[in-house]
Amino acid sequence: MNSNYSRIVGTGSYLPAKVLTNHDLERMVNTSDEWIYSRTGIRQRHIAADGESTSDLALHASRNAIAAAGITPRDLDLIVVATTTPDMVFPSTACILQSKLGIRNCPAFDVQAVCSGFIYGLATADQFMRSGRYRHALVVAAEIYSRILDWTDRSTCVLFGDGAGAVVLRRSDAPGILSSHLHADGSYARMLSVPGTVCGGKVSGRPLLQMDGGGVFRFAVRVLDEIVEETLAANQLRKTDINWLIPHQANIRIIHATAKKLGLSMEKVVVTVDRHANTSAASIPLALDEAVRDGRLRSGQHVLMEAVGGGFTWGAVLVKW
Ligand code: ACO
């Protein structure tokens, strides 16, 4: 039997200093705090400074996670960065982060699964750890969505924010990560996209976020229902065995729907969407770090993380804390 499991042994996060409230947005587009809060649960979001890059956000979060794990960057055997807003076309943000951490040689690559990026990155790193060849892996999710938003489009610009979260995985004889479940359906690519690219030295297409909000909402609720069932069945657990839900923080109404499906009271759901808005891949590790640092998660508890995002992609990771 495989005894190469991975455990999360350190978490970290970072939010840029600037806060943009719903009241600030009222002065930018035709919206209101009441509309935004009642539809989404969002009150404010953080916005990266002009000179700040995604790898900078990732670096802050990584340092916090590495310190919490009690290791140094030199101990890392693998770096996986989940981002939809990389520093540049290439090299990967993971390679840039590796250099900023002052290390070299370990494999480093990006994962692109939009809001499911952290789940995809964690699942990928866990598979590497199960090979038995790696002792420590860093999984980081970092996003600067403020740079791919149309700030004149009230239907999208109110929903997102910037930030980063990170975890350090350590190889272990016992889980740790119990199971991961990943899915994608590319036939929905147009429902949520940034349809631009670089071509011949110019931007081709419109590199700003567009979505069918209602369509995303309905799809998200359906597949999150399914992924919860799939994860419980794979681990032969009942709904009552789940101690904490750490969902992707897109919209409080989607979060309520998943909590209801699990029969979980909202006290058992980690919610940051009110203060962070939707930070895409970064939202789960940001919420996880908050719950770890305020002592909510206890050893032996079952923690379910789930997300859905552009692609569409969706997935879940179940952890025994
Ligand atoms: N302020 C005020 N009015 C607005 C705003 C705004 N910011 N945005 C849209 N409206 C208006 C619309 O123009 C529309 O007006 P109309 O009736 O005169 O045409 C009205 O509000 C209702 O618009 P709807 O889109 O029907 O509003 P809805 O209740 O569906 O809420 C929302 C929209 C919040 C986007 C919802 O569909 C949603 O949350 N969808 C999920 C999308 C999401 O979370 N995307 C994130 C990325 S994917 C992910 O992370 C899972």
Side-chain angles (χ1 to χ4, degrees):
M1 202 178 117
N2 186 357
S3 62
N4 297 312
Y5 295 103
S6 63
R7 299 190 70 83
I8 296 174
V9 293
T11 64
S13 60
Y14 174 76
L15 290 160
K18 182 178 169 185
V19 171
L20 186 73
T21 66
N22 291 350
H23 293 295
D24 295 327
L25 279 166
E26 288 173 355
R27 292 189 284 277
M28 296 163 64
V29 286
N30 182 12
T31 191
S32 65
D33 175 55
E34 194 280 328
W35 192 97
I36 300 169
Y37 187 69
S38 64
R39 296 299 205 292
T40 70
I42 298 166
R43 286 279 191 214
Q44 63 169 52
R45 70 284 296 140
H46 290 251
I47 304 290
D50 282 347
E52 240 174 352
S53 63
T54 297
S55 61
D56 291 331
L57 272 55
L59 178 64
H60 288 296
S62 299
R63 282 187 174 144
N64 291 337
I66 289 165
I71 62 169
T72 72
R74 272 180 223 281
D75 297 315
L76 294 174
D77 305 308
L78 171 70
I79 298 175
V80 179
V81 172
T83 188
T84 312
T85 50
D87 284 17
M88 52 182 86
V89 174
F90 74 80
S92 68
T93 304
C95 284
I96 299 169
L97 173 66
Q98 187 205 50
S99 171
K100 288 184 178 179
L101 284 168
I103 55 172
R104 51 179 72 182
N105 286 331
C106 73
F109 59 88
D110 287 1
V111 165
Q112 220 289 35
V114 200
C115 298
S116 312
F118 179 73
I119 297 294
Y120 265 65
L122 197 55
T124 304
D126 181 52
Q127 294 301 319
F128 275 76
M129 302 294 278
R130 284 176 193 244
S131 78
R133 290 174 49 211
Y134 300 83
R135 183 157 155 72
H136 288 110
L138 175 68
V139 182
V140 195
E143 302 280 19
I144 303 187
Y145 263 54
S146 58
R147 298 197 185 136
I148 55 167
L149 296 175
D150 177 352
W151 286 100
T152 66
D153 175 10
R154 68 178 182 173
S155 70
T156 53
C157 76
V158 304
L159 301 176
F160 297 91
D162 303 337
V167 300
V168 170
L169 298 180
R170 179 177 295 147
R171 196 173 66 215
S172 154
D173 289 340
I177 294 181
L178 291 168
S179 69
S180 54
H181 307 267
L182 303 180
H183 296 278
D185 184 345
S187 68
Y188 288 92
R190 291 275 154 191
M191 198 176 268
L192 173 60
S193 64
V194 177
T197 187
V198 177
C199 181
K202 296 199 181 90
V203 172
S204 157
R206 191 167 185 270
L208 295 172
L209 187 144
Q210 63 177 36
M211 71 170 182
D212 163 4
V216 173
F217 194 98
R218 285 186 294 278
F219 186 90
V221 170
R222 178 169 67 78
V223 298
L224 292 176
D225 261 18
E226 291 170 6
I227 203 79
V228 163
E229 292 290 352
E230 179 184 329
T231 308
L232 290 172
N235 291 282
Q236 295 173 319
L237 293 176
R238 291 161 302 169
K239 293 175 184 177
T240 48
D241 294 320
I242 301 299
N243 302 103
W244 291 101
L245 175 65
I246 308 189
H248 169 48
Q249 311 279 321
N251 182 310
I252 195 70
R253 291 186 296 151
I254 298 175
I255 294 172
H256 280 155
T258 310
K260 194 169 162 206
K261 172 81 187 172
L262 277 166
L264 268 186
S265 84
M266 285 306 287
E267 282 89 68
K268 294 295 179 186
V269 183
V270 181
V271 175
T272 54
V273 69
D274 51 331
R275 289 156 291 131
H276 301 172
N278 182 348
T279 56
S280 190
S283 88
I284 292 176
L286 271 159
L288 174 65
D289 188 42
E290 187 169 292
V292 168
R293 284 175 194 268
D294 67 21
R296 263 179 281 180
L297 306 192
R298 298 284 163 80
S299 178
Q301 291 184 327
H302 288 119
V303 179
L304 177 63
M305 299 181 261
E306 45 75 356
V308 54
F312 281 123
T313 57
W314 65 102
V317 172
L318 184 70
V319 173
K320 187 159 190 187
W321 200 253

